[in-house]
Every structure is written in C-alpha cells, then in structure tokens.
Amino acid sequence: MTYIELLKRIDALAPLPKTVLDIEEFKKTDNYDTNDLVKIIEQDPLMVSTILKTANSAMFGFVSKIDSLNKAVALLGINFTISIALASGIKNATNSQLVVYGGDSDIFLRIANMQSNFVSLWMNQVDAELKKELILPSFLQESGKFLINNAVMDEGKKDDFLKQINEKYDDISAVEKEFVGMNSADVTAAIFKHWNIAQSITNSIKYSDDVSKAPPQYEKHAKILNIVKLVCNIFKPLDERCIALARQRVQEFGFDLQPFDTAVAKMKSRVSEE
C-alpha cells in the first residue's frame, strides 16, 4: 500500500465522537473545572469504564479501589484523565484492532498508559512543565497503528508484518514504512490534523520518528517521545535491547542518564506488580 492510499483512508475517517470534541473544547479553557470535565465524560459510559479500569491498574499504585469517576479524576489529575478519555474515544472512532502488532485493541491503552507513566516518572525529575506538555502526546502517539493494522490486514500481509516486527521490534517505525509507506508517527499526525487536534500535540508526535526534522520548539518533545516509545514499545515493552538503545539515544540527544535510569527502574517495578 502506498502512503497516498493510506492518506485517503485518513480523509475518509468519520468525525470524532461528540464527547471527544467536547473534551477538546474543554482543553482550550483557561481554568480547568473538574466538575465540568466529569459532566462531559459521563456522557460516554465506555469512556468512564476505561478511565476507572486504568485508574485501578497497578501502574498507578493507588491503595484503595477507585469506584467513581470523580475520585478517578481527583487522583489521576486533569491531564491524565483527559489523555485516557481522548485515547478511549480515538480507539473507538477508528474501530480497529492491533493484531498485526501481536495484540488486540486493549494493548493500545496499556501501552499508552505505560508511555505516559514513563514520561511522568522521567520528567518529574527533569522538568515539570515539560512533563505537563508531554503527557497527552505520549498517551496518544501510537494512535496511527490502528490504521496501519487495517492496511496490512487488507493486503493479507499480517504474517509477514508480524515476522518483521518480531525481528525488528527495536525499529518498528522502519517496518511500518516498508509495508505501508508511512510510520505510526506520520499516520497519527495526519489523523490528528484531519480531526483538528491541537497543533502542539500533532507536531510533537509528527517528528518523533525523525527528530532531525523537528522545528526548534518541538525538538525536545520529539526526542523524548522517540525514546519513550522505544522503551515502552508495543511489541516488547521494557525489553533490555530497547532499553540499551534508548540509553544511547538519551546521551546522543543530550539528556542526563541518571533520571532516565531511575525512571526505567521504577517503571519495571510498576509493571511487575500488574
């Protein structure tokens, strides 16, 4: 499949659900009101269920069970809640699985959760403002994989794709480009442009697989997202081969290794408790 054909599929995507659009509008307000966000999310029972399921995962480590949306929002915070809600809406809007990546649609939310948690663990030690800016892009950056999955399946190349991913799981982007002419970052950015998702989110993701082309204002964001999706990749998250490569990139991109290594250790601990 050529990238032109894939772009046509993106152009044919249905509009985002009203709940997601309402959340996008909510994000534009200057002063976040938790009650307003809860009222929006309550319109979508599946979104509520996803948020509660995510909040109760070992990844967040909350002691008591979270059984209400209000409590989930209070504990997760506005940005994490918005991230989960948007990811849930996008997953449902694309109406796809991720079988060519060796999983189903649930793996998307698990990996999104891992990537955003890793950003939080890492950036907590480095730059609180950067953490705030990266939570949402890190949660959503693999959205394009749904359309790539469909394209590969339609061409009957699932087994070939899976074989390549198994061999090159530390460079999934290259495999995607070989099969469909675009990588997940390209596809996600094109989808978000089609849906008018905030430009700051779109551009941070767009350049994450080719950081050399990132405009100066998005370069650091793209580099961090690049490292995060390597460490918490969809096929073998927290694999030692990928972590070793990520450590090289941390140094190559000019970041300090110590906060990164600490974040990796904490992430491994959280995952082991799942």
Side-chain angles (χ1 to χ4, degrees):
M1 176 172 289
T2 67
Y3 76 94
I4 296 295
E5 292 171 308
L6 198 51
L7 287 173
K8 287 179 180 177
R9 291 186 178 216
I10 293 170
D11 288 339
L13 284 172
L16 282 170
K18 182 179 183 301
T19 309
V20 177
L21 296 175
D22 288 345
I23 292 171
E24 270 292 289
E25 285 302 309
F26 174 83
K27 280 172 60 245
K28 296 175 184 176
T29 60
D30 293 330
N31 297 307
Y32 287 168
D33 187 313
T34 302
N35 292 327
D36 289 342
L37 179 59
V38 168
K39 287 176 183 177
I40 293 169
I41 295 172
E42 282 177 338
Q43 301 173 51
D44 189 330
L46 186 57
M47 195 175 284
V48 173
S49 175
T50 300
I51 290 170
L52 291 177
K53 180 180 178 182
T54 303
N56 282 295
S57 71
M59 199 76 65
F60 288 98
F62 298 131
V63 177
S64 59
K65 183 179 180 182
I66 300 168
D67 53 11
S68 74
L69 182 58
N70 279 291
K71 188 175 182 181
V73 175
L75 290 172
L76 290 171
I78 295 285
N79 286 327
F80 260 118
T81 303
I82 289 175
S83 300
I84 299 165
L86 287 176
S88 174
I90 289 168
K91 183 188 83 163
N92 296 331
T94 53
N95 190 30
S96 178
Q97 299 291 317
L98 290 172
V99 293
V100 304
Y101 294 95
D104 54 21
S105 60
D106 286 342
I107 197 176
F108 168 70
L109 288 173
R110 180 173 185 269
I111 292 301
N113 193 12
M114 287 183 68
Q115 292 189 5
S116 60
N117 266 271
F118 186 72
V119 161
S120 182
L121 289 170
W122 184 11
M123 290 300 111
N124 266 340
Q125 309 168 72
V126 178
D127 187 328
E129 188 60 32
L130 197 54
K131 167 195 164 182
K132 183 179 176 181
E133 293 170 3
L134 284 168
I135 290 294
L136 196 46
S138 63
F139 212 102
L140 301 176
Q141 69 172 334
E142 303 288 22
S143 303
K145 283 180 165 50
F146 286 114
L147 259 64
I148 292 174
N149 176 88
N150 290 352
V152 172
M153 289 293 290
D154 288 350
E155 293 199 335
K157 294 182 178 179
K158 172 193 166 187
D159 292 342
D160 292 339
F161 188 90
L162 258 175
K163 181 182 178 182
Q164 288 294 310
I165 289 288
N166 189 51
E167 294 172 359
K168 303 176 183 177
Y169 59 86
D170 58 351
D171 195 4
I172 292 174
S173 171
V175 178
E176 292 168 339
K177 208 151 191 173
E178 177 186 343
F179 277 79
V180 299
M182 298 173 74
N183 57 41
S184 185
D186 295 329
V187 177
T188 302
I191 291 172
F192 286 1
K193 183 177 180 181
H194 172 73
W195 278 335
N196 292 315
I197 301 290
Q199 188 177 26
S200 58
I201 296 172
T202 302
N203 284 337
S204 295
I205 293 171
K206 179 179 180 179
Y207 300 103
S208 61
D209 277 332
D210 194 353
V211 297
S212 63
K213 293 182 180 178
Q217 66 269 39
Y218 297 114
E219 184 178 352
K220 185 176 285 188
H221 299 70
K223 286 177 176 178
I224 292 169
L225 290 177
N226 176 283
I227 292 167
V228 167
K229 72 170 125 186
L230 175 58
V231 173
C232 301
N233 75 82
I234 196 168
F235 196 73
K236 288 189 178 182
L238 298 177
D239 175 82
E240 292 302 327
R241 187 169 106 191
C242 293
I243 290 172
L245 182 55
R247 292 184 89 251
Q248 292 176 22
R249 290 185 190 174
V250 168
Q251 294 178 299
E252 177 189 334
F253 292 159
F255 299 120
D256 184 2
L257 265 178
Q258 189 273 325
F260 171 82
D261 287 340
T262 300
V264 169
K266 288 182 178 179
M267 196 71 204
K268 285 181 176 180
S269 176
R270 287 189 181 183
V271 170
S272 69
E273 295 171 3
E274 285 188 319

